[in-house]
């Protein structure tokens, strides 16, 4: 029985993790969960899975929920959460907290030498140099559960060596505005951008998919996860979201991972390790399969170029990129900037922040605050 700690239990990734656990409850145990303030969802999870420990960041949610479940251990302090993540009883930590907010817990898990199933790409984008070095020094195992990175993980040999890799294709659905130039997206509303044709995701990643920023974040993440120069990776639009990544080797053979859009597939793969976990899934209809692959749009080439430069530069560059994007998405969702201005916020913030090489998480936090303040100044100048 594997004891699982799910960080970000009430989000869309959390939902998929819980489904996989429920379908394999003979070998997977939800040992603990962490959430911010969604007490209604937390109550549902407790009733269904009976986790030993529940961390709730919001004080009011903590008090109101803990009173209803006297036999469950409820936690509320930073020290409580650190102790839970580091507990010897925890076999697997799943990092599913959205955005930069997930950085701290990812660092704690890496420092504890845990097996970490990571969906929080921002931890790696913002702090790849420090995070991956820490994980390596502590013997932590990092397994991606983003569909694209997990696909690469599956296509690599059993020892996960990349020495014979020629190139890797990372696919993108293209989002709800596929084929539409940025110049025609000025007046789109948040509800339009949130209407993803293939995936059911949280609001932040849905907007990132619509802007294609998500694919640039994934490029940076892949550079760190697989320790390969950005030149090895190609970004390709694939509207059907069936082929998630393709690894081509030096002998000319290409290995791809295919599945219908379903986050439970990469999660089950990562949780199973050497064992295949059975889950409910929709079969691919190979007798009527129409797959298309399109070049990354030319009017987003400057965005891709920025991401590739970040891969080469490292240091704080990924942090600034991520911070500017998170602020831009937040303000777009509040109807305070236009869709096309998300790109303006990213590029202009990046120009304003001098880059550095932070050595620790405290410095990263300070730089993140600074970058977000600059992004907000840029937004103010746009209005």
């Amino acid at each position: 029985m594997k004891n699982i700690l799910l960080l970000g239990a009430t989000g869309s990734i959390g939902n998929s993790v819980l489904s996989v656990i429920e379908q394999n409850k003979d070998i997977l145990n939800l040992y603990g969960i962490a959430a911010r303030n969604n007490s209604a969802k937390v109550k549902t999870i407790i009733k269904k899975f009976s986790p030993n420990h529940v961390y709730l960041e919001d004080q009011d949610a903590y008090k109101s929920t803990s009173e209803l479940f006297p036999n469950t251990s409820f936690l509320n302090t930073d020290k409580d959460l650190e102790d839970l993540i580091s507990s010897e009883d925890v076999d697997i930590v799943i990092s599913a907290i959205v955005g930069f907010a997930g950085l701290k817990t990812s660092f704690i898990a890496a420092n504890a030498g845990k097996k970490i199933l990571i969906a929080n790409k921002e931890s790696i984008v913002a702090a790849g140099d420090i995070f991956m070095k820490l994980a390596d020094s502590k013997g932590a195992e990092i397994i991606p559960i983003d569909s694209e990175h997990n696909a690469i993980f599956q296509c690599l040999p059993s020892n996960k060596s990349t020495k014979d890799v020629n190139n890797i294709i990372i696919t993108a659905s293209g989002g709800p505005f596929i084929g539409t130039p940025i110049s025609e997206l000025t007046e789109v509303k948040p509800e339009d951008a949130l209407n993803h044709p293939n995936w059911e995701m949280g609001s932040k990643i849905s907007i990132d998919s619509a802007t294609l920023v998500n694919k640039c974040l994934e490029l940076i993440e892949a550079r760190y996860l697989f320790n390969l120069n950005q030149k090895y990776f190609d970004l390709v639009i694939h509207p059907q979201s069936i082929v998630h990544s393709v690894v081509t080797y030096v002998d000319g053979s290409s290995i791809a991972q295919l599945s219908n859009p379903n986050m439970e597939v990469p999660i089950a793969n990562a949780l199973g390790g050497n064992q295949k976990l059975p889950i409910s899934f929709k079969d691919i209809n190979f007798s009527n399969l129409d797959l298309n692959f399109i070049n990354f749009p030319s009017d987003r080439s400057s965005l891709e170029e920025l991401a590739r430069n970040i891969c080469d530069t490292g240091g704080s560059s990924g942090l600034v990129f991520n911070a500017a994007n998170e602020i831009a998405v937040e303000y777009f969702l509040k109807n305070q900037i236009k869709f096309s201005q998300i790109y303006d916020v990213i590029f202009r913030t990046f120009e304003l922040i001098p880059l550095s090489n932070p050595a620790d998480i405290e410095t990263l936090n300070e730089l993140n605050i600074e970058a977000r303040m600059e992004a907000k100044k840029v937004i103010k100048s746009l209005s």
Side-chain angles (χ1 to χ4, degrees):
M1 183 71 74
K2 296 177 183 177
N3 280 339
I4 297 164
L5 173 60
L6 175 55
L7 308 175
T10 60
S12 60
I13 295 295
N15 288 337
S16 296
V17 171
L18 293 171
S19 178
V20 174
I21 293 174
E22 184 180 11
Q23 294 175 75
N24 292 274
K25 54 189 175 185
D26 55 328
I27 58 172
L28 301 178
N29 174 52
L30 187 65
Y31 180 77
I33 63 172
R36 183 183 297 173
N37 57 10
N38 191 340
S39 56
K41 183 64 181 291
V42 167
K43 291 171 189 175
T44 300
I45 295 172
I46 294 172
K47 291 175 182 176
K48 192 167 191 176
F49 293 91
S50 301
N52 298 65
H53 303 281
V54 174
Y55 170 86
L56 270 165
E57 180 180 343
D58 182 82
Q59 189 69 27
D60 291 336
Y62 164 75
K63 287 182 178 179
S64 63
T65 309
S66 59
E67 292 171 354
L68 299 175
F69 301 94
N71 296 323
T72 302
S73 169
F74 279 84
L75 314 170
N76 181 241
T77 69
D78 289 347
K79 180 64 166 56
D80 287 338
L81 183 57
E82 182 173 354
D83 289 345
L84 176 59
I85 294 171
S86 305
S87 170
E88 292 183 358
D89 292 326
V90 173
D91 299 309
I92 298 172
V93 176
I94 299 181
S95 178
I97 298 172
V98 176
F100 187 85
L103 181 68
K104 181 179 179 180
T105 51
S106 294
F107 264 72
I108 294 170
N111 192 56
K114 292 296 183 181
K115 182 176 183 177
I116 308 169
L117 273 53
I118 193 158
N120 176 254
K121 64 175 67 70
E122 292 86 354
S123 294
I124 298 175
V125 170
D129 293 327
I130 303 174
F131 179 71
M132 297 306 290
K133 187 180 295 184
L134 174 65
D136 184 61
S137 69
K138 297 295 182 178
E141 184 180 4
I142 310 296
I143 301 177
I145 54 175
D146 275 341
S147 59
E148 296 81 4
H149 299 93
N150 185 263
I152 299 170
F153 194 78
Q154 291 188 54
C155 293
L156 292 175
S158 58
N159 63 0
K160 304 308 172 192
S161 170
T162 57
K163 70 181 182 66
D164 294 325
V165 169
N166 184 72
N167 72 288
I168 298 174
I169 291 174
I170 302 175
T171 62
S173 68
F177 307 131
I178 186 168
T180 307
I182 294 175
S183 59
E184 297 179 18
L185 297 175
T186 304
E187 301 303 323
V188 301
K189 303 300 180 186
E191 53 268 28
D192 301 318
L194 290 169
N195 188 26
H196 197 285
N198 299 338
W199 298 91
E200 292 184 11
M201 306 180 292
S203 58
K204 196 267 182 183
I205 191 173
S206 294
I207 301 302
D208 285 349
S209 178
T211 59
L212 294 182
V213 168
N214 189 53
K215 213 47 49 179
C216 294
L217 293 171
E218 288 179 359
L219 170 63
I220 301 167
E221 181 185 12
R223 172 260 177 273
Y224 283 110
L225 283 173
F226 303 105
N227 195 26
L228 286 171
N229 188 284
Q230 52 84 14
K231 294 178 182 178
Y232 280 84
F233 299 98
D234 299 314
L235 305 182
V236 175
I237 304 298
H238 169 51
Q240 293 79 23
S241 296
I242 289 177
V243 177
H244 302 291
S245 286
V246 183
V247 177
T248 299
Y249 289 90
V250 292
D251 63 359
S253 60
S254 295
I255 299 177
Q257 189 270 331
L258 286 71
S259 65
N260 277 307
N262 179 0
M263 280 306 300
E264 293 179 27
V265 173
I267 291 167
N269 173 266
L271 280 173
N274 295 326
Q275 177 183 1
K276 293 295 184 183
L277 301 183
I279 59 169
S280 298
F281 63 92
K282 180 183 177 183
D283 288 326
I284 297 173
N285 184 359
F286 285 98
S287 63
N288 189 31
L289 192 59
D290 184 17
L291 302 179
N292 303 107
F293 300 91
I294 309 165
N295 289 334
F296 204 75
S298 58
D299 64 353
R300 291 348 125 83
S301 61
S302 56
L303 187 69
E304 180 182 353
E305 182 180 353
L306 176 59
R308 292 189 182 278
N309 288 338
I310 289 168
C311 288
D312 293 336
T313 304
S316 65
S317 58
L319 180 146
V320 174
F321 181 73
N322 180 72
N325 179 61
E326 286 194 19
I327 292 298
V329 170
E330 176 189 339
Y331 277 72
F332 170 68
L333 287 170
K334 293 190 292 187
N335 286 299
Q336 294 184 16
I337 62 171
K338 296 180 182 295
F339 182 85
S340 58
Q341 289 178 319
I342 293 174
Y343 303 101
D344 298 328
V345 175
I346 293 172
F347 287 116
R348 289 177 58 178
T349 302
F350 204 84
E351 292 170 356
L352 291 169
I353 302 287
L355 301 181
S356 60
N357 292 295
D360 50 52
I361 190 171
E362 289 76 21
T363 306
L364 285 169
N365 285 326
E366 292 171 2
L367 290 171
N368 182 58
I369 292 170
E370 179 186 354
R372 288 167 186 268
M373 288 176 60
E374 289 298 333
K376 290 177 182 178
K377 290 179 184 176
V378 169
I379 288 172
K380 190 174 182 179
S381 72
L382 294 174
S383 57

